[in-house]
Amino acid sequence: MTESASRPGPDQSDDAASVQSDDHPPFRYDARLADEIERHWQEYWRAEGTFNAPNPSGPLSEGFDQVAGRPKFFVMDMFPYPSGAGLHVGHPLGYIGTDVYARFLRMMGRNVLHPFGYDAFGLPAEQYALDTGQHPAITTQHNIANMRRQLRRLGLGHDDRREFATTDVSYYKWTQWIFLQIFNSWFDADTDRARPIAELAAEFESGTREPVSPANPDGRPWAELTELQRRQVLDSYRLAYISEELVNWCPGLGTVLANEEITPDGRSDIGNYPVYRRPLRQWMLRITAYAERLLADLDLLDWPESIKTMQRNWIGPSDGASIEFPVAGSRSKIRVYTTRPDTLAGATYMVLAPEHPLVDELTSGGAWPEGTPETWRFPEGNHDPAEDWTPAAAIRGYREASALLTDRQRVQEGFQKTGVFTGSYAVNPMTGEPIPVFAADYVLMGYGTGAIMAVPAHDERDFEFAQKFGLPIRAVLEPPADWFGAHGISASTPPAQWPEAYVGDHGYLNLDVPGIDWTGLDKDAAIADAIRWLSERGAGHYERSHRLRDWLFSRQRYWGEPFPIVYDADGEPIALPEELLPVVLPEMSDFRPEPHQDENSDPVPPLARATPWVEVELDLGDGPRRYRRELNTMPQWAGSCWYYLRYLDPTNDQRLVAPDIERYWMVAPGTPPDEGGVDLYVGGVEHAVLHLLYARFWHKVLYDLGYVSTKEPFKRLYNQGYILADAYLDARGMYVQAADVVKADDGGFLFHGAPVRPRAGKMGKSLKNAVTPDDIYAAYGADTLRLYEMAMGPLDADRPWQTDDMVGVYRFLQRLWRNIVDEQTGDLLVADKPLDEEAERRLHRTIKIVRRDFGEMRFNTAIARLIELNNYASRLASRDGIIARALAEPLVLMVAPLAPHIAETLWSRMGHPQSLAYEPFPQFDEALAAEKSVVLPVQVNGKRRFQLEVAGDADEAEIREQLVQHPDYARHTDALTVERIVIVPGRIANVVAR
């Protein structure tokens, strides 16, 4: 009745009994055996290249003829950063999910590419190096090695030939190459795409396009421009350009900080140094040119709607008007963008950001205009009564004060409004009256034009400012009677005496402006008419604006990709030719940024100290000359913008990616032209905006230039949830090590005998509640960890971690093993015998549901079905002493994507010499898989109206679909608005409508 166990896997027979206690079966599946099995198969898969996905051509094409007829599938995880702390069990959740899915697809006949790499440049490694003195390259290598070890112990089926880190010179050579393509391109608004800058130069040369540019303020023809001026005009069009940008300059650290590196009180998170806002020359990428395409092409993507919404909000499209306010007594004009040009008549003053370039011009008049109130002169900034406190002096003082504030502080609700009069007036183009122009920190240079028309009657911030400085408040919109009543004032109360601004849209007052009568118009109609009025008078025009700003692409750090840029004697940037790539990061022992005492000092990046590297002699076509390299490095985002393409052709040192390889993996047969992308991209929601937006931008540039064949990089996006775990706070409010907390007799918790209070949170180092996978491997094995993380709940949902709960899936694996292998002898308990009808029906129903659930990445429900089938198999094995091969083999194959090590071992013991990685996934017979139908009563608002016959195993979605298609559904709901449908599968359906 039994067969001898074949053992191509780890040896478990000769010495197993000698290391077991008398009461422990020698062939029981336990942590020791799991460890042997798992290490064996991981080495087998590595040696055999089991998960190597062949390319259609090139060095990685071996074996392609065997898979050429299979549909391809490209699945990848978001690039991980190799942390020095290693992994905790929350990190691999998505990695396990993609591995399960990839293994399932291979068994479904797909050619699956599942690569993995490391996003290794960036601030954490550099900061660790600064703290310890260890070079970031060494730290990074150690971290990657540790992370690779932990992930390989999970049995993840990656194509290891394609592994790389962004710090590999062979990788960042191509990051630099992509930067060159961006630098050497411009965005043609007429064709809505990027084009080579050489084509723009040719159009200027031929006269088919005028060289309109801030670098050519007088509008001179191309032929009259000097060579230097021509270069500056072209530079102003490039997609990568240098600009004076406001940055967070921290002299104490000697570097520019990102907003997230600054505390709420405007100091550095590291070192608690003051941070100043000041303009610095920075590299920028012109992502704003792609704003509309980034918006429109979201419709092509199979992404969670919440992520699309976050991207749309970040891009922030708005429709409004660009309005020009002439400066009194000057030829200058102040341009503002507003979504409410209908309120222009209510603009009684203007505000510019302190950093606005026009502020200096507006304060150049010398003395204050006669009658300027003292409060308008920023008296709190005048610390020397003997100083001639002119508008220019007041502006200098105000700028110094506002430089101490972060953007977040300047715009936060309730922040005290401050400002200073520039000494100049602008003319309201609708009323013709002069209105004062202030500089105030509640307006940001990085938002809109850096200038606003202030309408205090209908904007709360403007209202507060106007009240503080005694500025006129004129209403354009009339509040309704209930607004006045709610504020306890009469409808005749002047706007200056209102308790707050009216921000509604009740109706328009008579504005007494020629050509305007908005009586009875709604907001949209009035806005459209205001734009008409402005356009007819040359005072403004319709404009579509975006919240999105160009990407600041410079970092004053060492550990990043060097720019492939040098500067000539004129200080102008020159792109290095491709044959000089890569520009290798120089070896340095001292890579600390140079700290400063003076906030007006300029940052000195660490690379400035690499003197032999900085100054270089090159022949760039004009003979040998001396050049100075760019001293900034690229941000960490750069390497993760395009890594999916390197996975496709990682050994290619001649081009970014071979076209046929890119088309094979990125465009599925039958996909509409230009669509496609990575078939499945899995990662956390924390990357919903910046990483995905930047990667989409780079991809679109490459698409425009003909280097890739799809409009978008990632066709389908899936966000896995987080693993949560209890954290514990002591009496000081500090987190303590959760592993050392014990439960007290009274139900509370103790840490080394002292009471602590629990707090749920995301598992991680900062909350000291991390559980390492190494501990779980030692206690249960990797298959148990994989199975537990997939069984905890839907992959896209957060789930609480409870180590004690792992015993459930551990016992499932033990029972599976025990059904097939005799724990005492190691013999195989499998026989060739037919299944009875009940067993056959159970098997086919399980196959049907598990296939569906795997395909929809609903692994937790698939596991529930497999546990049910395994329990049933246990009852048969207990009754008969053996298990039918017809049940054992499909059961093992279904378990394989989830727990591949034990499945491989059981498969080999059942006589199969090859890995099951490419075995066909079990098929089901529809007749055998069908559940008996059930009849559900259907209620509408609690009253039974009709019946619905459905399959006994129909889930909620299937029942809902059949319900809304039932003719009686329409008959009973046509006159109603359906609010929700409540379905209890197998019992009832209730329609709630009104």
Side-chain angles (χ1 to χ4, degrees):
M1 298 290 290
T2 64
E3 302 176 19
S4 297
S6 58
R7 298 186 190 86
D11 179 32
Q12 301 147 19
S13 57
D14 296 339
D15 301 317
S18 64
V19 297
Q20 301 293 340
S21 61
D22 293 340
D23 59 350
H24 190 93
F27 293 92
R28 169 164 291 178
Y29 181 83
D30 55 14
R32 176 198 60 80
L33 184 55
D35 183 75
E36 291 182 15
I37 288 173
E38 290 162 3
R39 292 184 185 278
H40 165 78
W41 286 106
Q42 288 157 18
E43 178 56 29
Y44 174 88
W45 295 328
R46 187 200 63 76
E48 295 294 319
T50 300
F51 305 112
N52 292 351
N55 280 343
S57 64
L60 304 185
S61 62
E62 182 180 355
F64 184 75
D65 56 334
Q66 300 171 32
V67 300
R70 298 180 179 182
K72 67 89 186 177
F73 197 90
F74 182 11
V75 55
M76 54 182 275
D77 308 274
M78 285 190 182
F79 233 6
Y81 179 80
S83 166
L87 297 178
H88 59 67
V89 294
H91 288 123
L93 178 63
Y95 307 153
I96 297 170
T98 52
D99 187 62
V100 172
Y101 193 58
R103 288 174 179 273
F104 168 69
L105 291 178
R106 291 188 191 97
M107 298 175 77
M108 294 292 288
R110 299 291 194 101
N111 182 26
V112 178
L113 172 58
H114 189 194
F116 201 83
Y118 302 92
D119 189 13
F121 271 130
L123 184 59
E126 183 163 355
Q127 195 59 49
Y128 183 82
L130 295 176
D131 294 340
T132 64
Q134 180 171 273
H135 196 282
I138 298 173
T139 302
T140 299
Q141 291 166 5
H142 289 171
N143 293 351
I144 288 176
N146 185 48
M147 190 171 182
R148 182 189 295 119
R149 175 193 62 79
Q150 290 180 306
L151 290 175
R152 284 184 175 174
R153 268 300 278 118
L154 270 173
L156 301 178
H158 296 142
D159 185 342
D160 293 334
R161 303 170 303 168
R162 301 173 189 260
E163 181 190 285
F164 55 79
T166 53
T167 50
D168 296 343
V169 175
S170 59
Y171 180 83
Y172 70 70
K173 165 189 174 179
W174 295 103
T175 306
Q176 293 170 339
W177 180 88
I178 295 174
F179 177 84
L180 288 180
Q181 310 316 304
I182 297 172
F183 178 81
N184 288 321
S185 300
W186 65 292
F187 191 84
D188 185 350
D190 295 333
T191 60
D192 198 30
R193 68 180 182 89
R195 294 172 54 194
I197 200 75
E199 294 180 7
L200 178 63
E203 291 186 14
F204 288 153
E205 188 72 38
S206 67
T208 57
R209 188 182 295 267
E210 294 298 321
V212 178
S213 166
N216 183 21
D218 299 326
R220 295 165 60 192
W222 185 255
E224 296 181 9
L225 299 178
T226 66
E227 182 60 32
L228 177 59
Q229 290 171 329
R230 290 182 178 187
R231 286 175 57 190
Q232 291 171 339
V233 167
L234 289 175
D235 287 350
S236 72
Y237 279 83
R238 296 181 188 272
L239 287 178
Y241 63 97
I242 295 175
S243 174
E244 287 272 337
E245 295 294 325
L246 281 174
V247 296
N248 302 312
W249 167 231
C250 179
L253 290 177
T255 189
V256 170
L257 301 179
N259 288 335
E260 55 268 24
E261 297 170 309
I262 304 171
T263 62
D265 59 347
R267 303 182 75 85
S268 62
D269 186 41
I270 297 172
N272 197 38
Y273 294 104
V275 177
Y276 303 90
R277 295 285 289 166
R278 57 161 297 183
L280 289 175
R281 281 170 57 87
Q282 302 283 299
W283 279 101
M284 307 291 293
L285 299 189
R286 208 180 302 272
I287 189 174
T288 51
Y290 282 83
E292 288 299 317
R293 281 173 59 183
L294 290 168
L295 279 171
D297 289 350
L298 286 170
D299 294 336
L300 301 175
L301 303 177
D302 181 10
W303 288 16
E305 195 56 41
S306 60
I307 302 299
K308 292 184 180 182
T309 299
M310 292 171 73
Q311 292 234 333
R312 292 187 183 105
N313 291 342
W314 189 267
I315 297 169
S318 63
D319 296 296
S322 176
I323 305 176
E324 291 185 334
F325 288 72
V327 176
S330 169
R331 296 176 58 186
S332 297
K333 294 181 179 181
I334 302 173
R335 189 176 73 86
V336 304
Y337 170 80
T338 177
T339 60
R340 296 301 302 268
D342 56 319
T343 65
L344 174 58
T348 58
Y349 66 97
M350 299 191 74
V351 178
L352 275 60
E355 308 86 4
H356 196 291
L358 268 179
V359 169
D360 289 329
E361 178 184 331
L362 296 176
T363 59
S364 62
W368 296 103
E370 185 176 349
T372 299
E374 183 67 20
T375 56
W376 291 17
R377 307 184 187 200
F378 189 52
E380 59 268 39
N382 186 4
H383 304 299
D384 183 2
E387 182 180 358
D388 186 11
W389 196 243
T390 62
I395 285 291
R396 282 196 302 274
Y398 188 75
R399 280 175 166 168
E400 290 173 3
S402 63
L404 297 173
L405 302 174
T406 65
D407 285 354
R408 183 169 49 192
Q409 289 174 307
R410 286 167 59 170
V411 299
Q412 71 185 23
E413 190 174 347
F415 195 75
Q416 182 67 36
K417 298 292 184 295
T418 63
V420 58
F421 179 41
T422 62
S424 294
Y425 289 82
V427 177
N428 184 320
M430 186 167 280
T431 65
E433 65 181 349
I435 57 177
V437 181
F438 284 77
D441 55 23
Y442 78 93
V443 174
L444 302 179
M445 193 61 218
Y447 189 80
T449 64
I452 66 164
M453 63 177 209
V455 185
H458 306 301
D459 181 276
E460 195 58 45
R461 294 187 309 162
D462 296 346
F463 185 85
E464 292 174 15
F465 191 91
Q467 284 198 319
K468 177 173 180 178
F469 290 94
L471 292 160
I473 300 176
R474 180 189 303 121
V476 174
L477 294 153
E478 182 178 21
D482 59 358
W483 186 87
F484 288 106
H487 291 85
I489 57 176
S490 70
S492 61
T493 303
Q497 296 176 22
W498 289 354
E500 64 181 17
Y502 171 64
V503 295
D505 300 309
H506 177 248
Y508 293 90
L509 294 165
N510 183 3
L511 302 181
D512 195 24
V513 175
I516 289 179
D517 181 7
W518 294 338
T519 305
L521 293 187
D522 62 17
K523 181 181 75 172
D524 292 342
I527 288 173
D529 196 58
I531 294 173
R532 172 201 60 79
W533 189 94
L534 290 164
S535 299
E536 290 175 354
R537 289 156 179 78
H541 58 270
Y542 165 82
E543 185 171 301
R544 184 167 170 86
S545 183
H546 302 88
R547 179 177 176 270
L548 180 69
R549 290 292 171 262
D550 282 344
W551 179 7
L552 195 155
F553 200 68
S554 295
R555 295 294 183 272
Q556 291 70 44
R557 292 283 184 171
Y558 168 71
W559 194 235
E561 298 92 342
F563 282 89
I565 294 289
V566 294
Y567 295 89
D568 63 11
D570 294 318
E572 293 297 308
I574 299 175
L576 291 175
E578 293 176 13
E579 58 267 23
L580 292 184
L581 299 183
V583 178
V584 179
L585 196 65
E587 287 291 332
M588 295 182 66
S589 57
D590 180 11
F591 35 80
R592 294 177 180 273
E594 184 176 313
H596 301 265
Q597 299 297 321
D598 181 8
E599 67 266 26
N600 295 315
S601 58
D602 289 326
V604 179
L607 287 176
R609 292 194 290 276
T611 306
W613 181 86
V614 172
E615 301 293 335
V616 59
E617 183 175 288
L618 301 169
D619 185 349
L620 300 181
D622 298 320
R625 295 186 180 182
R626 299 291 295 176
Y627 296 93
R628 178 178 58 85
R629 293 192 189 275
E630 171 62 65
L631 302 181
N632 291 322
T633 53
M634 300 184 198
Q636 186 174 354
W637 301 108
S640 61
C641 275
W642 71 279
Y643 67 111
Y644 56 97
L645 293 173
R646 191 59 178 173
Y647 282 148
L648 306 182
D649 198 8
T651 62
N652 197 332
D653 60 358
Q654 298 301 309
R655 61 197 314 167
L656 183 73
V657 56
D660 64 319
I661 294 174
E662 185 270 337
R663 284 193 299 270
Y664 173 77
W665 287 113
M666 295 290 282
V667 184
T671 300
D674 305 330
E675 293 188 22
V678 175
D679 296 292
L680 178 63
Y681 191 32
V682 176
V685 70
E686 66 270 19
H687 299 298
V689 176
L690 295 182
H691 159 61
L692 292 171
L693 201 62
Y694 293 157
R696 294 179 64 214
F697 164 52
W698 277 35
H699 190 90
K700 288 182 182 301
V701 176
L702 293 173
Y703 173 76
D704 289 350
L705 299 177
Y707 295 112
V708 297
S709 54
T710 67
K711 291 182 178 180
E712 289 283 336
F714 313 116
K715 179 62 177 176
R716 184 186 178 196
L717 175 70
Y718 189 98
N719 296 126
Q720 89 274 2
Y722 294 119
I723 286 185
L724 310 176
D726 285 337
Y728 298 91
L729 294 158
D730 63 15
R732 303 167 300 163
M734 304 295 290
Y735 287 102
V736 301
Q737 288 294 341
D740 296 330
V741 173
V742 297
K743 196 163 188 176
D745 295 338
D746 62 359
F749 297 92
L750 300 174
F751 175 74
H752 297 167
V756 290
R757 64 184 189 276
R759 176 179 173 183
K762 181 182 171 184
M763 182 179 288
K765 180 174 64 175
S766 62
L767 300 188
K768 298 185 178 181
N769 60 351
V771 177
T772 71
D774 297 309
D775 292 342
I776 305 302
Y777 301 152
Y780 297 99
D783 276 342
T784 297
L785 176 58
R786 291 171 59 103
L787 202 61
Y788 176 62
E789 295 214 1
M790 294 299 96
M792 292 167 72
L795 185 59
D796 59 354
D798 296 345
R799 71 282 311 277
W801 176 271
Q802 294 292 340
T803 303
D804 292 345
D805 291 347
M806 298 194 74
V807 69
V809 292
Y810 183 53
R811 286 172 179 164
F812 162 70
L813 294 178
Q814 288 182 315
R815 187 174 294 115
L816 174 67
W817 178 271
R818 194 162 56 243
N819 287 340
I820 297 172
V821 177
D822 189 300
E823 291 185 324
Q824 296 295 336
T825 66
D827 289 339
L828 192 67
L829 304 175
V830 175
D832 293 316
K833 55 172 286 187
L835 295 177
D836 61 29
E837 182 180 355
E838 174 63 17
E840 202 165 25
R841 286 190 176 278
R842 283 179 178 266
L843 172 62
H844 283 263
R845 284 198 296 267
T846 302
I847 294 172
K848 178 181 179 180
I849 293 170
V850 169
R851 282 172 67 102
R852 180 199 65 193
D853 289 351
F854 273 170
E856 297 173 359
M857 299 178 71
R858 289 158 42 181
F859 306 127
N860 59 315
T861 54
I863 291 169
R865 286 292 185 153
L866 289 170
I867 290 174
E868 289 179 10
L869 183 63
N870 191 50
N871 289 342
Y872 177 73
S874 294
R875 293 196 294 272
L876 295 183
S878 178
R879 182 191 69 190
D880 302 334
I882 55 97
I883 184 172
R885 182 179 295 274
L887 175 58
E889 289 192 346
L891 176 57
V892 167
L893 290 174
M894 286 189 284
V895 169
L898 296 156
H901 309 90
I902 190 174
E904 287 272 24
T905 301
L906 293 174
W907 186 250
S908 70
R909 281 178 168 265
M910 287 188 285
H912 300 282
Q914 302 298 324
S915 166
L916 54 64
Y918 293 91
E919 285 293 318
F921 201 82
Q923 300 275 1
F924 64 91
D925 184 306
E926 187 64 60
L928 293 172
E931 292 268 11
K932 294 180 180 178
S933 63
V934 296
V935 176
L936 301 181
V938 179
Q939 295 181 344
V940 178
N941 292 331
K943 293 184 179 181
R944 182 168 175 163
R945 295 301 188 185
F946 60 96
Q947 294 179 329
L948 181 70
E949 185 173 353
V950 298
D953 60 347
D955 62 16
E956 185 175 337
E958 293 169 326
I959 296 171
R960 184 185 302 271
E961 182 179 358
Q962 293 182 48
L963 173 61
V964 298
Q965 294 174 357
H966 195 284
D968 285 340
Y969 176 83
R971 184 164 62 87
H972 288 289
T973 61
D974 271 351
L976 302 172
T977 299
V978 176
E979 295 184 339
R980 65 183 186 277
I981 300 174
V982 180
I983 295 171
V984 181
R987 297 187 62 186
I988 195 170
N990 188 18
V991 180
V992 181
R994 58 179 175 84

